Amino acid sequence: MFAGDLPRRDEPLPRFLDDGRAAKLLQAARADPDPFTRLAIEFLARTGLRKGEFLDLTVDAVMQIGSAYWLHVPVGKLRTDRYIPLHPQLKEMLDDWLDKRPAGLRSDYLFLERGRRITKNRVDRALAAVAAAAGIGHVTPHQLRHTLATQAINRGMSLEAIAALLGHRSMRMTMVYARIADRTVADEYFAVSEKVEALYDAPRELPADDEGTEMRKLRSEMHRRMLGNGYCARPVGLDCHFESICESCTFFQTTIEFRPTLQSQRDDAAEKGQLGRQKIFDGLLTRLDQSAS
């Protein structure tokens, strides 16, 4: 018997929540009276941590690097650890959790109740209760990890960045998300297909420049989305948690000639109410002004 004689294994796509169900879940979680439930679901949905990685976090997991906070994820399933950017809202929730931590605890683990570590079953029960309250059916913690990856790739995040965020050992593990259909592509297809259908009723040549409404909006602001090796395809109406990730890196350097651009980005963050992003640019502008003086 040779390897080629064996039947091919099925390769099902990851199960994830669409945008509507994910939004309902987070809304229900934020309304839950249990502080651990609110923190656990928000954390799993916005970091992509595995359930075990989340429960293994210690009190010193949060580190400040430059003007941003990062989360140190301990050695886990793949025997590696990593650092991931921590959203300011999650930082505030962690601070509130630590403020209520009883004094004198000997354990360094972050998630304790009555002096004992919180179990995986506790996380499962919390998620099941919130999913039922949201009316979206059964949801597992690992589905939240798949949901974050799907949301990220459908909004233009590179596979390399997703692999680093999720702690994948090889790109083969991340490539599976590239097989998940993008809803924006579907919307554009149906918008243009209406014009294609007209060919059957009145034969004519379809103009090569016909495009959907969303694609026109994206093309009109292409210059604002240019990156080093491409551009960001995130829809205009959606925020991006990684929009200022380079500016918060310790290796980021800028000079006074870029001050107008940084000021414009700071004002944009203020208009959108993105306090964490605004704080990053406030710090950069302050440092520029100090160095110039």
Side-chain angles (χ1 to χ4, degrees):
M1 179 179 289
F2 300 96
D5 297 326
L6 298 174
R8 292 187 60 183
R9 295 180 59 185
D10 293 336
E11 297 182 4
L13 290 171
R15 296 176 58 193
F16 63 95
L17 304 180
D18 59 30
D19 291 347
R21 295 175 68 204
K24 290 180 179 179
L25 182 73
L26 284 184
Q27 290 170 0
R30 291 168 182 173
D32 195 277
D34 178 23
F36 175 75
T37 295
R38 295 195 300 269
L39 176 59
I41 294 177
E42 192 88 30
F43 225 94
L44 293 173
R46 300 182 72 168
T47 64
L49 292 183
R50 301 177 180 91
K51 183 168 52 176
E53 293 174 335
F54 170 69
L55 293 174
D56 285 344
L57 292 175
T58 56
V59 293
D60 59 350
V62 178
M63 301 185 66
Q64 185 171 5
I65 305 177
S67 59
Y69 289 96
W70 293 70
L71 185 72
H72 176 233
V73 183
V75 173
K77 176 182 176 181
L78 299 183
R79 314 305 301 168
T80 59
D81 59 356
R82 65 189 185 280
Y83 287 89
I84 62 174
L86 186 64
H87 193 274
Q89 183 176 344
L90 294 182
K91 173 64 166 56
E92 293 178 6
M93 297 179 73
L94 274 182
D95 289 342
D96 291 340
W97 178 265
L98 287 172
D99 287 342
K100 296 178 177 63
R101 181 183 175 91
L105 291 178
R106 295 183 179 181
S107 175
D108 289 333
Y109 286 108
L110 183 59
F111 299 112
L112 303 172
E113 281 184 332
R114 301 181 183 88
R116 296 184 178 181
R117 291 190 62 186
I118 293 177
T119 65
K120 293 182 178 180
N121 287 337
R122 171 79 162 89
V123 177
D124 292 336
R125 291 196 303 270
L127 180 55
V130 171
I136 60 173
H138 179 66
V139 179
T140 66
H142 215 70
Q143 278 181 270
L144 301 184
R145 177 176 168 87
H146 294 323
T147 299
L148 176 65
T150 304
Q151 290 171 337
I153 197 170
N154 281 348
R155 286 158 177 81
M157 190 173 181
S158 69
L159 289 175
E160 291 81 1
I162 294 175
L165 178 67
L166 299 183
H168 286 166
R169 181 172 290 176
S170 69
M171 284 299 298
R172 185 176 182 275
M173 302 171 67
T174 315
M175 282 296 295
V176 67
Y177 295 106
R179 296 164 52 200
I180 298 176
D182 188 335
R183 182 50 187 259
T184 302
V185 173
D187 292 341
E188 290 296 314
Y189 164 75
F190 288 117
V192 175
S193 65
E194 294 178 0
K195 300 175 182 178
V196 176
E197 287 293 331
L199 293 174
Y200 296 101
D201 299 328
R204 61 183 178 83
E205 182 180 353
L206 183 67
D209 59 350
D210 271 355
E211 56 187 8
T213 303
E214 294 302 317
M215 188 61 73
R216 277 197 297 274
K217 291 180 181 178
L218 181 60
R219 191 183 302 280
S220 67
E221 67 160 33
M222 186 73 74
H223 67 283
R224 297 180 58 230
R225 300 294 190 86
M226 291 301 294
L227 304 176
N229 298 301
Y231 62 89
C232 174
R234 172 174 53 87
V236 180
L238 294 174
D239 289 334
C240 175
H241 299 159
F242 305 96
E243 190 169 356
S244 305
I245 192 169
C246 288
E247 287 83 354
S248 61
C249 177
T250 54
F251 294 102
F252 178 76
Q253 298 290 331
T254 186
T255 55
I256 195 66
E257 66 205 63
F258 295 104
R259 195 187 192 290
T261 301
L262 294 173
Q263 184 66 52
S264 175
Q265 291 172 312
R266 184 266 177 204
D267 294 341
D268 177 68
E271 291 176 4
K272 294 179 179 177
Q274 299 172 340
L275 299 181
R277 182 167 165 248
Q278 177 183 339
K279 185 177 179 181
I280 291 174
F281 287 108
D282 281 338
L284 292 172
L285 290 168
T286 299
R287 289 204 299 272
L288 272 182
D289 293 340
Q290 290 174 347
S291 61
S293 60

